[in-house]
Amino acid sequence: MDSANDFTIEDEIEKRDRTLWVGNLHPKVSTRDIAELFYQVGPIEYVDFAFDGHEISENFALVVFKYSSSVEDSIKLFQGTELYELPIITKNYSKHFEV
């Protein structure tokens, strides 16, 4: 059995719990900028920027941490931190998108 097919809904929920939504990003903000800032809180698996249908970056990114505790710590430490003179907005991805 292929391990890629072993991904479950529980895995998706667990990943959302480890994900930080970072918004109000200036167009100059890079993956490296985000990774360097949030790595101060804990190990990061990856940073993912959103793009529209024309490959233009949206003004937010998702930071997936190794540990879920890093999400709340990041919110406490970096809410309102300015990157390129814009205050960033940080939210817990799983709570931000609850239905």
Side-chain angles (χ1 to χ4, degrees):
M1 184 177 217
D2 184 26
S3 63
N5 294 330
D6 292 341
F7 193 75
T8 66
I9 191 72
E10 289 84 13
D11 294 330
E12 181 64 27
I13 292 168
E14 191 267 338
K15 180 177 147 188
R16 284 184 178 204
D17 289 343
R18 296 183 291 112
T19 302
L20 177 73
W21 182 92
V22 184
N24 198 38
L25 297 178
H26 188 282
K28 290 183 180 179
V29 173
S30 69
T31 300
R32 184 177 181 160
D33 294 330
I34 296 295
E36 286 179 354
L37 179 65
F38 290 100
Y39 188 76
Q40 297 174 61
V41 176
I44 294 172
E45 287 189 3
Y46 63 90
V47 174
D48 190 22
F49 278 83
F51 291 91
D52 68 11
H54 303 287
E55 293 301 310
I56 297 172
S57 178
E58 299 285 347
N59 69 341
F60 72 92
L62 301 176
V63 179
V64 180
F65 288 98
K66 185 173 182 180
Y67 306 109
S68 60
S69 61
S70 298
V71 172
E72 293 302 323
D73 292 343
S74 293
I75 293 168
K76 290 175 191 170
L77 288 171
F78 297 118
Q79 181 72 283
T81 295
E82 289 190 3
L83 293 178
Y84 296 98
E85 299 181 4
L86 284 179
I88 63 171
I89 300 167
T90 54
K91 296 182 181 183
N92 183 316
Y93 181 81
S94 63
K95 291 179 182 175
H96 182 67
F97 294 100
E98 285 180 344
V99 179

